[in-house]
Amino acid sequence: MFKNLKNEKVRKYVNSLQCRMFLIFILVGIIPLLLIKNGILKSYEEQAVRQRASIIQNQSDLITAQIAKTGYLEGEESTLADVEMQQMANLYSGRILIVNKEFCIVKDTYGLDEKKYIVAEEVIRCFQGEDSQRYDKKTGFIEMTIPIYEPSSKEIEGVMVVSTPTKDIKESRDALNRQVLVLQIGMAAAIFLTAYYLSRMLAKPFDKVTQSLSQVQEGFLDADISIPDYTETQQLAEAYNQMLARMKALDDSRQEFVSNVSHELKTPITSMKVLADSLLAQPDAPVELYQEFMGDIAEEIDRENKIITDLLSLVKMDKKAADIHIESKNINELLELIIKRLTPIADKRDINLVLESFRPVNAQVDETKMTLAISNLVENAIKYNKEGGWVHVSLNVDSKYFYVKVEDSGIGIPKESQEAIFERFYRVDKSHSREIGGTGLGLAITRSAVLMHRGAIKVYSKEGEGTTFTVRIPLVYVN
């Protein structure tokens, strides 16, 4: 049931992504299509009107030149001028008026207003030398005024007023609109299909990712995913594979940790069981044997207790940073107390333990965790050292950090093991570690404590020539 719910969520996510892509493609395709249609129709109408006006202007210039040569404005008849005006009016289904300088209509192709007077703004301006050309979209008419010049004086003797409808232009525009509409429907269908295909194609790689994430919830995948469809999905797949690798490593580490804990806790119990069974099998065993076996059992109990103590310390280190108790401490005094406590252990093995402080250091630290971290480093330097060797602990500081260096003349750490020594229960030499009582948790505890303080720890070592640990801790704790 839960698997079905997860798959349903994945499908909903992919469908939602596909729908968003589909809408984007539709808008990107349809909106320009609508704008292009309006642009085509508007451009056609404007171009047609300009061409019509230009033709009328040319024909009117010829007629006005013919009128100017005769006494037409003074009432003389001109059959040629009348025929040309009538043909032009009939050709464009328009109306032509000839007005003399007294604003009297000399000729009206409609034959309605002859001998009448006209006082219009366009006519007055034309007599002043401003001919006009206007297209009224509401009425659908082109209206023009053309001056009639006297041939010799070049003065304006009259005005020719032309008014012609653009019904045929509108009809052509409507026909073009229908054709564009058909083309628009076809293109819209093509855009719709293309958008649907592209949205499915682009959403498909994300479907792979979401399916893989769903599978991770049920268990890790055995192989990385690769989605080379385009750069973004490949980058997403690489980031996902890196996350998956970290999760696998974390899971492997957890399983190994559980296995190691079980083994480490079981070993002392097994030893105590063997010793106890041996004593029970010998009811008449001498007192010396009882004492020896009980001493061994006590050592195994101490070993078990140390493992449990270290485990508890490690668990505390793994808790949230809110559990850290920060206070300003004198690091010089803290190190002096650690050295003082571990000096007797060093003296037993004739190891020279030295602390060198270059300057006073005060920093914001958790005293308990920092003491545990440094103590583990110094104690390891003593335990894994040579008889008659040395351990050198130094403290230094700059404007941002303080540095603790722990150097020893011990057995060293092989290069191939240096990256693994901070793992839980890892031992470079298991037999030697058990012999001196190591649990394999000390360096893991140290590293956790350092990281909780937003610090860093590094190791430098050469097998047989000793080891150096350097710890860097901020003077001011940053939450």
Side-chain angles (χ1 to χ4, degrees):
M1 177 180 177
F2 291 106
K3 181 179 179 181
N4 292 334
L5 287 175
K6 292 174 185 176
N7 291 337
E8 184 65 26
K9 289 182 179 179
V10 170
R11 283 194 296 271
K12 285 183 178 179
Y13 170 77
V14 175
N15 290 338
S16 175
L17 179 63
Q18 183 178 335
C19 288
R20 289 196 295 271
M21 289 183 175
F22 177 75
L23 289 175
I24 290 172
F25 289 136
I26 288 293
L27 292 175
V28 170
I30 295 297
I31 291 177
L33 191 62
L34 294 174
L35 294 176
I36 290 173
K37 174 191 172 184
N38 293 333
I40 290 174
L41 296 177
K42 183 178 180 181
S43 176
Y44 169 79
E45 184 176 8
E46 291 176 351
Q47 185 68 20
V49 169
R50 280 196 300 270
Q51 289 179 351
R52 176 68 58 81
S54 178
I55 294 172
I56 293 174
Q57 179 72 47
N58 293 334
Q59 292 180 348
S60 298
D61 288 341
L62 295 174
I63 296 173
T64 56
Q66 179 66 30
I67 292 174
K69 291 178 182 179
T70 64
Y72 197 89
L73 294 175
E74 285 74 27
E76 294 184 12
E77 294 184 0
S78 174
T79 305
L80 179 61
D82 289 337
V83 170
E84 288 180 348
M85 283 189 286
Q86 194 63 48
Q87 288 178 343
M88 180 177 167
N90 293 337
L91 179 63
Y92 299 111
S93 302
R95 184 180 185 184
I96 298 175
L97 302 177
I98 302 297
V99 182
N100 63 21
K101 58 184 177 182
E102 282 80 25
F103 297 97
C104 178
I105 299 174
V106 176
K107 177 64 176 181
D108 179 3
T109 55
Y110 277 12
L112 299 176
D113 295 328
E114 292 179 357
K115 306 301 180 181
K116 293 183 180 180
Y117 291 88
I118 181 172
V119 181
E121 182 180 357
E122 290 81 1
V123 175
I124 295 173
R125 287 184 177 180
C126 190
F127 273 110
Q128 294 174 350
E130 298 179 17
D131 54 339
S132 64
Q133 177 181 310
R134 185 169 66 90
Y135 172 56
D136 192 338
K137 289 186 178 182
K138 292 183 179 180
T139 60
F141 273 80
I142 298 175
E143 297 177 354
M144 302 175 64
T145 56
I146 300 95
I148 302 173
Y149 294 96
E150 202 280 324
S152 58
S153 65
K154 301 298 181 183
E155 293 182 358
I156 300 175
E157 296 293 327
V159 173
M160 181 177 179
V161 180
V162 181
S163 177
T164 178
T166 58
K167 182 179 179 182
D168 57 331
I169 294 177
K170 286 190 174 182
E171 289 176 350
S172 298
R173 181 182 180 279
D174 293 339
L176 179 62
N177 184 29
R178 289 191 292 271
Q179 294 175 356
V180 172
L181 181 61
V182 173
L183 179 62
Q184 189 177 26
I185 293 173
M187 292 182 66
I191 291 172
F192 182 89
L193 294 175
T194 303
Y196 180 74
Y197 171 77
L198 289 176
S199 62
R200 282 183 60 86
M201 183 183 70
L202 293 177
K204 190 174 181 180
F206 295 97
D207 188 19
K208 294 180 184 178
V209 175
T210 50
Q211 290 290 349
S212 298
L213 291 173
S214 178
Q215 292 177 27
V216 168
Q217 294 178 347
E218 301 164 9
F220 294 125
L221 295 173
D222 295 330
D224 292 345
I225 62 171
S226 178
I227 312 175
D229 299 67
Y230 37 90
T231 303
E232 290 75 8
T233 55
Q234 185 59 34
Q235 292 175 347
L236 182 62
E238 290 173 358
Y240 166 77
N241 290 332
Q242 292 175 2
M243 178 196 70
L244 186 61
R246 288 194 294 269
M247 292 176 65
K248 287 181 178 179
L250 182 62
D251 187 62
D252 292 341
S253 176
R254 178 185 62 80
Q255 292 180 4
E256 184 180 1
F257 176 70
V258 172
S259 176
N260 288 334
V261 168
S262 301
H263 176 74
E264 294 295 330
L265 292 177
K266 186 177 180 181
T267 300
I269 294 176
T270 302
S271 299
M272 287 187 284
K273 174 67 173 171
V274 171
L275 292 169
D277 288 343
S278 298
L279 289 177
L280 291 174
Q282 304 176 54
D284 299 329
V287 175
E288 294 80 4
L289 185 61
Y290 267 95
Q291 290 177 343
E292 180 184 351
F293 278 26
M294 291 305 294
D296 291 340
I297 290 174
E299 289 180 2
E300 293 297 332
I301 291 173
D302 289 341
R303 182 180 168 193
E304 184 90 2
N305 183 60
K306 181 167 178 54
I307 293 173
I308 294 172
T309 301
D310 284 350
L311 282 172
L312 291 175
S313 298
L314 198 58
V315 169
K316 291 179 181 178
M317 294 293 180
D318 287 341
K319 288 186 177 180
K320 295 179 180 178
D323 293 336
I324 192 170
H325 303 289
I326 298 297
E327 54 184 339
S328 182
K329 296 298 298 183
N330 186 310
I331 306 301
N332 304 74
E333 294 179 356
L334 187 146
L335 290 182
E336 288 172 1
L337 290 174
I338 292 174
I339 298 302
K340 183 178 180 180
R341 180 174 63 82
L342 295 177
T343 296
I345 300 175
D347 291 342
K348 287 182 181 180
R349 300 193 61 199
D350 192 24
I351 292 174
N352 184 25
L353 179 58
V354 179
L355 170 63
E356 183 180 12
S357 298
F358 292 95
R359 63 189 69 183
V361 179
N362 285 284
Q364 297 177 355
V365 297
D366 183 312
E367 181 180 5
T368 303
K369 292 179 174 60
M370 187 54 58
T371 299
L372 186 59
I374 303 301
S375 295
N376 282 335
L377 292 178
V378 178
E379 193 171 354
N380 280 353
I382 296 171
K383 287 181 179 180
Y384 297 96
N385 214 318
K386 302 172 183 178
E387 294 290 338
W390 53 266
V391 175
H392 183 202
V393 182
S394 62
L395 174 65
N396 208 340
V397 67
D398 60 20
S399 59
K400 293 183 178 180
Y401 305 95
F402 72 85
Y403 305 86
V404 177
K405 182 186 292 185
V406 179
E407 304 173 87
D408 66 59
S409 60
I411 60 177
I413 303 170
K415 187 175 181 179
E416 64 272 12
S417 299
Q418 291 179 16
E419 292 186 2
I421 58 174
F422 296 105
E423 296 177 7
R424 301 167 184 183
F425 291 110
Y426 183 85
R427 294 187 181 89
V428 177
D429 185 348
K430 295 184 179 180
S431 60
H432 187 54
S433 297
R434 292 246 169 84
E435 182 183 321
I436 62 177
T439 64
L441 294 172
L443 288 179
I445 293 172
T446 297
R447 180 176 180 274
S448 295
V450 171
L451 292 179
M452 289 184 74
H453 285 82
R454 307 296 187 267
I457 182 170
K458 294 183 179 180
V459 60
Y460 306 91
S461 182
K462 190 171 182 181
E463 196 169 5
E465 297 184 9
T467 302
T468 299
F469 283 92
T470 60
V471 176
R472 185 191 71 186
I473 304 293
L475 295 173
V476 178
Y477 178 76
V478 180
N479 195 356

